Amino acid sequence: MTVEHHVIRSTDLAQGHLLCAIGPLDSEGTVAAYFKTGFDGEAIASRDGFALDSLRSIGGGFQAIGRARIEDGMTPLPLPGAPDVRVPLEPQRRQVFRGLRAALSLRLNEPPEAVIDWLRFHARTQGLQAALIVDRAEGADPSGLVDALRAHPVAGIEQILVVSFDLPLGHPEAGDEAHPLYAPDAPGKDRMDAPDPDPWRAPFVEIILYELMRQLYLHDAQAVMNIDLSDLIYPLPEGTIFDRAAAAPSGVVALLGQRIYPWGLKKGARPGFGDHICRRFDAAPGNTRWCVDPKKSGPDAIWRLIRIVQPGSRVAPDVLPYLRCMAMRHPDEKPARIVPKSSLVEDDRLVALMAQHFDADPRRAPAETLQPAARTMGNRTGIVTCMKNEGPFILEWLAYHRAIGVEEFLVYTNDCTDGTDTLLELLQEKGFLQHRDNPYREVDMKPQHAALHAASDDAMVQAWDWVICTDVDEFINIHVGDGRLEDLYAAIGDANMISMTWRLFGNADVERFRDGFILEEYTRCAPHFARKPHHAWGFKTAARNAGIFKKLGVHRPKGLRPQLVDELRWVNGSGNPMPRRDYRNAWRSTTDTYGYDLVTLNHYALRSAESFLVKRDRGRVNHVDRDQGLTYWFRMNHNAEEDRSIQRMIPAARAEFAAFMADPEIEALHSACVAAHRAKITELMATEKYDAFFREITSPRMRKLSRMLEHFGSAVFFNGPDVIPDAVLERAGEPGFFFTVEPRQDAE
């Protein structure tokens, strides 16, 4: 195995850097010059001693081909500001790889032993014979790669050429590519600080390098595969990747990468290929590369990072998979820093591959088993909810959900001043629910998150068959059968999770609070197809207590146990399967996933204008730092349509409510909550701030806007109603009318 090392010297010109000039290419003195990204292309033109034949921009750099006056291995390259510049010429060395099956690979983090493993794997599985390794590290062979390769020849490999440059090939303003910020799947990027600029180790940008390497070394190779030293070509059932390129009509095979990861690493160990036994169950392939037969693809083909450009060709190349070993690219990070662990699943093919070719003993994912509730036919259902100053509305909400078949309720409260917690304590004494103090201060979490965190470990919740997390302003509206949960569960068959999409109900122009049924008074709502504002299609989820997830979440269970992902059967409100991409984090429906055929979650976020004053004063249980002001009212007040479908359940709910009110103690505390609510309204209305706010939200302008929200873009909802000109109001109901504005940077 012959191992060579070549350093390419650049030339610093007034307009930027010349990476390399090659020549002569023929007897006429033709040379090819390759200019680094950022070079002023307009400065490249014919001058005395250099006749420009072609100029091509490739990925931000430039390839200039022309006839030059060559003297002593130098060529003039006169440019504005440097008329007398002469640059050295690199001679073509195509004989190095002539007739060989070669790799063209970038190296950044891989240690010499990993490079040797990589060569051995591809020699064995693909018949690789040679490799051109572009070492991006600063300095000449700083890690001893060349010496290591010479000391450990690989069977089947005839030729290795390590090429270094005397200037960086990475983005000048980016940091070390090994930082998690540059890992495509890394969680929490919005909370990361960008690393300091490090162009030697930054993400690669010099796309023109591929044409330079072809012209200088690889044009006469039998075939060339372009993958990095962190990538593996998956063994094919028959033949090799080079055979496929030779057989392809265009001489080109496209390669599509699948990112793979370790489940974990042994303490103190550097990651190796054999550790990569997991893939994301919810990720699409990416990172396109290629393999080419240079003779078959033709002299006009252009080599780029992600594709071979063949002018005039209409033949789409075949696409084959390859594996990108992500811990090799980010060796100093725990797997959880570069990929959500909840998305990783072991792949039996990867386990077998790594054992066969790398003698691997990787850390394996721990086994997980379903909880007993996953296998039973029981449908005992409970709701977990949070409340603060919701006293007047508790009994209707409780009565309705008892009427549709909810059997258990766990309620967390905090900082109540209207008698909510006192009423709940009484209801607990009488066996209707369980009441807990919200521990948000003790655990330093937002109230709703703290409550759900506590409820996840509560023995009461763990005993339920189905768990639902909803709020007291949300009502489950079942459209099948008799409108009960048993009918919904029958309709979804063996599904173990169903998400119920919100339908936002506005205030129906009701200004004053009265002690009556919300379900009777508020019947105006958003259309079914209301994907804006962003919140309109939020959902809440009924989930069987199967142990597929680790904890409760506001909109759906959180902390997917990926080992059990194949056990998850999640449907939307029409009973249609949810896509796997939504399994971990989705909290709202989309145009692909919304559905109301089986169930809707009626969301009465506002109630009357007077009650909204109290809600605003109370604050939010989740986004505690956000004001529920005019913008919130505007985006949640949907009065475009009428929907009374839930009212078929009012008789059953009324019967449950009447049973509550027949108890003098419950009736007295309910009345006390109503009185406290009215007193708070009076107190707030006596202030200039809330009086003005009340008049604003009940104005004719706001009433009209509540019936035309379908006409507005997302930015309007985030900016608020003040950005809407009065003239726009006259176009309500006009088919196809649409209005939006530029987004505001500080919008919620």
Side-chain angles (χ1 to χ4, degrees):
M1 185 174 82
T2 301
V3 181
E4 300 180 58
H5 184 210
H6 185 200
V7 179
I8 294 180
R9 307 292 180 185
S10 63
T11 304
D12 188 358
L13 303 171
Q15 293 78 20
H17 279 86
L18 173 73
L19 282 175
C20 182
I22 306 172
L25 304 182
D26 54 31
S27 59
E28 297 182 2
T30 301
V31 300
Y34 294 84
F35 298 89
K36 195 176 187 294
T37 299
F39 197 90
D40 181 7
E42 295 183 359
I44 305 171
S46 294
R47 309 283 179 184
D48 182 28
F50 183 84
L52 182 66
D53 292 330
S54 67
L55 180 65
R56 174 182 287 156
S57 174
I58 301 176
F62 288 92
Q63 177 197 58
I65 297 178
R67 286 161 287 116
R69 185 173 61 245
I70 301 174
E71 297 176 356
D72 300 325
M74 306 281 284
T75 183
L77 197 66
L79 298 164
D84 299 322
V85 68
R86 289 166 58 81
V87 299
L89 290 173
E90 287 281 351
Q92 288 181 315
R93 298 187 60 207
R94 295 179 175 179
Q95 74 280 0
V96 173
F97 294 100
R98 183 168 292 138
L100 297 178
R101 296 184 294 273
L104 171 54
S105 303
L106 301 182
R107 176 184 181 233
L108 188 61
N109 294 305
E110 300 80 9
E113 57 270 22
V115 177
I116 293 168
D117 284 345
W118 184 92
L119 291 166
R120 186 179 293 117
F121 174 83
H122 289 105
R124 183 185 303 139
T125 63
Q126 303 297 332
L128 182 71
Q129 297 171 307
L132 193 164
I133 299 172
V134 178
D135 193 338
R136 294 184 50 203
E138 184 175 8
D141 197 28
S143 65
L145 174 62
V146 173
D147 289 342
L149 290 171
R150 287 171 176 163
H152 298 87
V154 176
I157 301 295
E158 300 177 24
Q159 178 71 51
I160 302 290
L161 176 60
V162 178
V163 175
S164 302
F165 284 80
D166 64 350
L167 80 177
L169 303 177
H171 194 290
E173 298 177 1
D176 187 345
E177 188 176 6
H179 191 280
L181 187 67
Y182 304 111
D185 301 320
K189 290 189 181 185
D190 57 334
R191 300 185 298 275
M192 293 182 189
D193 294 326
D196 293 335
D198 183 357
W200 282 100
R201 301 182 61 79
F204 177 78
V205 293
E206 299 301 334
I207 308 301
I208 201 166
L209 174 129
Y210 290 89
E211 269 298 296
L212 170 58
M213 294 296 100
R214 177 180 65 159
Q215 192 68 261
L216 198 54
Y217 302 114
L218 293 167
H219 188 274
D220 293 341
Q222 177 183 322
V224 179
M225 69 174 186
N226 163 34
I227 57 172
D228 292 347
L229 293 179
S230 57
D231 303 333
L232 303 174
I233 299 292
Y234 205 94
L236 302 175
E238 294 182 2
T240 70
I241 191 70
F242 303 111
D243 298 330
R244 295 292 290 268
S250 64
V252 178
V253 172
L255 303 175
L256 191 59
Q258 180 180 62
R259 294 185 290 275
I260 59 176
Y261 298 85
W263 176 262
L265 298 172
K266 296 177 181 177
K267 188 174 182 179
R270 185 182 177 92
F273 289 107
D275 294 304
H276 292 74
I277 59 171
C278 295
R279 57 175 173 81
R280 285 190 62 176
F281 71 82
D282 55 351
N287 307 109
T288 308
R289 295 293 186 267
W290 44 261
C291 184
V292 63
D293 180 330
K295 290 185 176 60
K296 197 166 187 179
S297 65
D300 295 330
I302 305 167
W303 292 13
R304 298 173 66 97
L305 172 64
I306 64 172
R307 65 184 182 275
I308 300 290
V309 179
Q310 295 176 284
S313 175
R314 297 183 179 180
V315 179
D318 291 338
V319 179
L320 295 177
Y322 75 94
L323 305 171
R324 172 150 289 187
C325 300
M326 295 302 296
M328 306 295 288
R329 303 178 74 87
H330 305 273
D332 298 325
E333 304 296 340
K334 295 180 179 179
R337 288 268 290 161
I338 59 174
V339 65
K341 289 292 287 290
S342 59
S343 73
L344 292 184
V345 292
E346 277 194 10
D347 187 310
D348 291 341
R349 295 177 68 197
L350 292 178
V351 173
L353 180 75
M354 300 311 175
Q356 178 182 355
H357 293 283
F358 297 100
D359 194 25
D361 182 24
R363 281 189 60 184
R364 303 293 297 271
E368 295 282 2
T369 57
L370 293 173
Q371 292 182 3
R375 303 301 188 193
T376 67
M377 298 303 293
N379 286 325
R380 189 170 187 82
T381 301
I383 288 179
V384 177
T385 190
C386 299
M387 297 184 191
K388 178 182 177 182
N389 290 348
E390 296 281 11
F393 312 108
I394 293 172
L395 292 186
E396 179 192 2
W397 180 84
L398 190 62
Y400 174 83
H401 285 97
R402 282 170 57 87
I404 68 167
V406 180
E407 297 166 274
E408 305 275 0
F409 300 85
L410 178 58
V411 185
Y412 288 84
T413 61
N414 61 279
D415 309 310
C416 294
T417 58
D418 73 338
T420 290
D421 46 4
T422 305
L423 174 57
L424 291 170
E425 283 295 314
L426 179 63
L427 291 170
Q428 176 175 264
E429 290 176 15
K430 295 181 180 290
F432 294 112
L433 52 77
Q434 287 289 308
H435 174 229
R436 307 273 194 275
D437 288 331
N438 194 313
Y440 75 101
R441 289 189 178 89
E442 291 89 333
V443 296
D444 193 26
M445 298 171 69
K446 295 174 181 178
Q448 193 169 34
H449 293 158
L452 297 182
H453 179 77
S456 297
D457 296 325
D458 194 290
M460 176 186 183
V461 174
Q462 293 178 346
W464 299 342
D465 295 310
W466 289 85
V467 183
I468 309 173
C469 298
T470 63
D471 298 330
V472 74
D473 59 4
E474 297 169 338
F475 288 73
I476 301 170
N477 183 7
I478 298 170
H479 306 305
V480 292
D482 294 327
R484 292 174 52 81
L485 282 173
E486 60 192 42
D487 303 304
L488 179 63
Y489 295 148
I492 63 174
D494 66 350
N496 48 30
M497 217 158 85
I498 177 169
S499 284
M500 304 168 286
T501 302
W502 279 339
R503 195 172 190 190
L504 299 183
F505 279 70
N507 79 318
D509 301 332
V510 176
E511 297 181 5
R512 305 299 175 182
F513 163 70
R514 73 178 184 89
D515 181 20
F517 255 38
I518 288 169
L519 303 184
E520 292 176 332
E521 191 162 19
Y522 301 97
T523 61
R524 306 295 302 185
C525 60
H528 275 163
F529 193 82
R531 59 193 179 98
K532 291 175 290 188
H534 190 64
H535 313 73
W537 272 350
F539 57 61
K540 297 294 180 73
T541 305
R544 185 171 279 282
N545 224 340
I548 298 173
F549 293 86
K550 296 177 182 178
K551 58 185 178 180
L552 303 179
V554 175
H555 294 271
R556 37 72 57 81
K558 303 300 288 288
L560 174 67
R561 290 184 168 94
Q563 302 93 318
L564 300 176
V565 67
D566 291 336
E567 302 286 348
L568 182 57
R569 292 177 292 281
W570 183 7
V571 298
N572 70 357
S574 290
N576 299 321
M578 294 286 282
R580 290 170 80 89
R581 68 172 186 269
D582 286 355
Y583 279 11
R584 292 188 309 105
N585 293 320
W587 65 271
R588 63 185 296 272
S589 299
T590 66
T591 53
D592 296 327
T593 63
Y594 85 102
Y596 295 106
D597 294 339
L598 303 181
V599 63
T600 301
L601 194 63
N602 288 18
H603 189 192
Y604 303 90
L606 305 179
R607 307 184 184 110
S608 69
E610 285 187 336
S611 289
F612 184 71
L613 302 184
V614 179
K615 179 172 182 171
R616 184 186 183 191
D617 179 71
R618 177 197 72 196
R620 301 170 75 175
V621 295
N622 191 358
H623 304 291
V624 294
D625 55 341
R626 298 181 187 174
D627 178 37
Q628 296 178 117
L630 182 65
T631 299
Y632 182 90
W633 174 273
F634 165 64
R635 74 168 67 127
M636 302 299 279
N637 192 25
H638 290 256
N639 292 318
E641 295 186 1
E642 184 173 70
D643 182 0
R644 296 178 179 268
S645 60
I646 201 170
Q647 292 187 349
R648 70 167 174 156
M649 300 306 298
I650 286 180
R654 279 284 185 195
E656 293 281 350
F657 184 83
F660 286 139
M661 295 298 282
D663 184 314
E665 293 179 295
I666 295 177
E667 191 277 334
L669 289 185
H670 171 76
S671 297
C673 289
V674 170
H677 191 73
R678 287 199 173 107
K680 189 64 178 180
I681 291 169
T682 301
E683 174 191 332
L684 294 173
M685 289 289 286
T687 67
E688 182 178 350
K689 171 185 174 181
Y690 278 94
D691 178 63
F693 182 70
F694 178 80
R695 284 186 279 108
E696 188 170 24
I697 64 176
T698 58
S699 66
R701 187 175 196 272
M702 293 303 296
R703 283 194 177 194
K704 190 161 189 176
L705 285 174
S706 75
R707 287 164 169 79
M708 58 183 302
L709 299 184
E710 63 184 290
H711 296 297
F712 302 137
S714 297
V716 174
F717 293 105
F718 282 101
N719 281 272
D722 291 342
V723 301
I724 304 170
D726 289 342
V728 169
L729 273 69
E730 304 307 315
R731 305 188 67 175
E734 182 179 317
F737 173 63
F738 180 79
F739 173 79
T740 194
V741 295
E742 291 296 320
R744 197 180 74 222
Q745 294 301 314
D746 62 342
E748 179 185 325

